[in-house]
Amino acid sequence: MSRRLSVFAIALLAGTIVIPGTARAEGPEQIGNGTFDTTADPWWHTGNLGFDISSGRLCSDVPAGTAQPWDAIIGLDGIPLKKDETYAFSFFATASPGKVAKALIQLPVDPWTQYLSATPELSVSGNTYRYTFTSPVDIPNAQVAFQLGGSATAWRFCMDDVSLKGGAKPDVYEPDTGPRVRVNQVAYLPKGPKNATLVTDSTTPLPWTLKDGDSVVREGTTTPRGVDATSGQNVHTIDFGSYRRAGSGLTLTADGETSRPFDISASAYTALKADALKFFYPQRSGTAIDGALRPGYARPAGHVGVGPNQGDTNVPCQPGVCDYSLDVSGGWYDAGDHGKYVVNGGISVAQLMSEFERTKNAATAKPAPALAIPESADHVPDILNEARWEQEFLLKMQRPDGMAHHKIHDENWTGLPLLPHLDPQKRELHPVSTAATLNLAATAAQAARVFAPYDAAFAAKNLAAARKAWKAAKANPAVYASPNDGTGGGTYSDDNVTDEFYWAAAELYISTGETEFKESVLTSSTHTDDVFNERGFNWGSVAALGRLDLATVPNALPGRDAVRQSVLDGADKYLGIIAGFAYGSPYNPSTYEWGSNSQVANNMVVLGAAYDISGAAKYRDGVLQGADYLFGRNALNMSYVTGYGEVNSHNQHSRWYAHQLDADLPNPPAGTLSGGPNSGIQDPIAQAKLRDCKPQFCYIDDIESWSTNELTINWNAPLAWASAFIADQGDGTAPTAGRCEVAYTVHGSWRDGFTAQITVKNTGTKAVDGWSLRWSFLGGQKAGHGWNADLSQVGATVTAKNLSWNKKIAPGKTVTLGFNGTSAPGANPVPDLFTLNGAACTS
């Protein structure tokens, strides 16, 4: 997530357009000249503007080509404000052509603390705009500023009747939460759980009806749950899981309220499985975004080796940090700004690679989707091509000694909107850190195995970088990013890297099988810790990434059964949270944190992994209930994913998905997850409108609310994993248990090869008449000459089909096949998953 200047003590309240003539608040007028009848004094302007009062208004022609809002300003100084006084600020303004401006009341010097921040949408005919705010300070010299820059084209601004008076009554922000019946507005799976939440004053059960069109298809009574602490609402729950027929536009009615429409569908999440991953292509830095691949999202390449800031191809360090420059082009923009961070990129690219690895190792997993990216025509799965774009950047952040720079971003913060290629700020490398170095070690180790079947040279490059990073981190175990290095980008500071050491050791062990890394895992105190706390994991707490991969990716770690059990124990904890929470989310702390929706999604990943390990339906159902919360079964009755659900987040904080500020720019693409409720409400909009909010209400879909409504790569990564998991479940029918048992034995191995024998036993009561056995290698191993089966291989996945003479396997009988394999650098464990005719066997 990107950070902004500092946590402002700001008290802006709701701003709305009002009709001319509305009564102003009583109190002394603070604006000495707001009517411009004879003069513009004492107003001032930046050097690129001028004043014209000939029409009885103050007008100014704003030049084309300004990059930042503050590149063109009209201002007034010396405004006294009293602490805790509520003020009414109003003005009449026009724009020709229509534009979005910024109206600020702020500290007149650095750090320019804003006491009011508004973004009026100005029209040619004009409107009167009125805002209220409560001053958090006593100050004799506040500044009124109209920021008018940031437009590629010239325009004319006029204003009149500017007024600022104390004694105003604060406006109260009331979110429109719609009907009191909260449902998943996207879809429920036909054979999955189906739950809803009713907000009501009643303390006794109430009748409910489920309708498909005009037909009542199910009825029942609600379950009172009392007052929910995260919303302050008295709520009931509704369980209509017994209804399993597919349909569209269903509604649920209770207590005189009818829910927003929803579907019951086996295929509703297929599009999201792709969209959540398609999010990453337009986040790419260093390349033009092709409008043919993303209609409406085309833009020039950002931060390449050209003006205005010379981009990321030759970036120097911050003054005093180093005496060299690096090419750190490429990668994904982290969030709504133009920064790129190794620790946030690390968890994001790891989760994309883990989503791919799930397609090899989970019984219900289906292939990763096509993503319509420039590399789609090659032989590599699109999800890996997208991950490679970020991994290539992470490799560039490594110094020759193995340490990795923590981040690269602008020298100073920029405003909104601002397309990447127009960013005028100098780019700077920030110091190396142990956390960044270990993130690189972990992701490079994982990349070494997942890319091995497709690009052996790239896999080897990653493994070498991972080894070098591990060695450097061991030699420099306490180099921490500064918590004060937050100008122009987020700090991402972390002074506890035991979890990063554990994650890196786990990935290096899985990929190499080497004793050094095995011992580092087993002797780490983290290995026996409960890494699945109620808040979930995130970029600063990554031990769970290592634990999940040790549990779900084939390896020979001693005591692996205990590792897998720890995932089930963590998932059981999240099921307990779901059961105790009337909104059914696997995340329910007393306060919600920045990016709470990503914590929900990450806990869904744990639940999904538990299902893949055990096959227990309760874990699958936990994932589905987490999705219910994200898609509308929440206190605000909205979907937090753009383009999904009748009411959804679509004004996320972004410098280029800034339609709220510039009608020529798009909203975020479909499948973009908003950060969600954040009890910290650190930004001006949230502090103004959400003061004293209950946790679930600490959210507003406003582009200026960077603390509640940002988009980031590390929030969409777990959404992509969870969306794929849900889409892969089809209608929710449990997969058929395989009636087979497989024994896989390596009889001999040498430097670049091995011989393997596989015995398949029919444990059922009926003969198998024709068979196809499938498994996946860990990395770049290849099945060569085989016997007793017809072998084929795509990537790491091998398919062995019967020959004419051994197509039947009688009950209790076996068939044996084998092959000579080609080894690849690294470990060659026994595969976890074998499927016979599509059903998982025991092994």
Side-chain angles (χ1 to χ4, degrees), residues 663-705:
D664 292 332
L665 294 175
N667 290 118
T672 299
L673 179 65
S674 170
N678 171 16
S679 299
I681 56 171
Q682 291 92 342
D683 66 80
I685 292 292
Q687 289 183 345
K689 297 188 175 183
L690 308 176
R691 182 183 295 181
D692 299 324
C693 54
K694 293 289 185 180
Q696 280 202 69
F697 283 103
C698 296
Y699 171 82
I700 184 170
D701 185 27
D702 189 295
I703 194 170
E704 298 285 0
S705 184

Side-chain angles (χ1 to χ4, degrees), residues 32-88:
N33 174 20
T35 58
F36 315 109
D37 294 331
T38 59
T39 180
D41 292 338
W43 292 81
W44 54 267
H45 58 76
T46 50
N48 55 351
L49 301 179
F51 284 157
D52 175 8
I53 62 169
S54 61
S55 64
R57 300 172 178 171
L58 187 151
C59 296
S60 185
D61 291 316
V62 184
T66 54
Q68 302 284 359
W70 51 80
D71 288 344
I73 301 175
I74 293 174
L76 178 67
D77 296 330
I79 305 297
L81 299 177
K82 294 182 178 181
K83 184 178 180 180
D84 296 328
E85 179 79 6
T86 298
Y87 293 87

Side-chain angles (χ1 to χ4, degrees), residues 445-525:
Q446 188 176 12
R449 62 180 184 261
V450 300
F451 284 97
Y454 308 101
D455 189 335
F458 184 61
K461 179 180 179 180
N462 273 279
L463 186 56
R467 293 184 187 278
K468 183 184 289 188
W470 174 260
K471 183 177 180 180
K474 294 284 283 186
N476 301 275
V479 179
Y480 304 130
S482 170
N484 300 315
D485 186 14
T487 299
T491 61
Y492 286 99
S493 58
D494 183 1
D495 61 1
N496 181 351
V497 294
T498 56
D499 53 322
E500 281 85 357
F501 270 109
Y502 179 72
W503 175 32
E507 299 299 346
L508 278 159
Y509 171 69
I510 293 169
S511 291
T512 69
E514 292 174 8
T515 300
E516 176 188 359
F517 306 119
K518 177 181 71 176
E519 293 304 316
S520 292
V521 169
L522 295 175
T523 60
S524 170
S525 61

Side-chain angles (χ1 to χ4, degrees), residues 603-681:
N603 290 350
M604 291 164 65
V605 170
V606 177
L607 287 160
Y611 179 68
D612 290 339
I613 292 168
S614 69
K618 63 180 182 178
Y619 300 123
R620 177 209 62 190
D621 291 352
V623 178
L624 297 174
Q625 291 189 76
D628 293 346
Y629 171 86
L630 292 178
F631 293 109
R633 188 191 174 198
N634 53 61
L636 287 169
N637 197 14
M638 68 182 300
S639 166
Y640 290 114
V641 179
T642 305
Y644 285 83
E646 184 176 75
V647 177
N648 58 74
S649 301
H650 56 277
N651 290 313
Q652 288 94 321
H653 179 79
S654 170
R655 281 159 178 75
W656 57 100
Y657 305 135
H659 186 76
Q660 184 179 342
L661 301 178
D662 184 341
D664 292 332
L665 294 175
N667 290 118
T672 299
L673 179 65
S674 170
N678 171 16
S679 299
I681 56 171

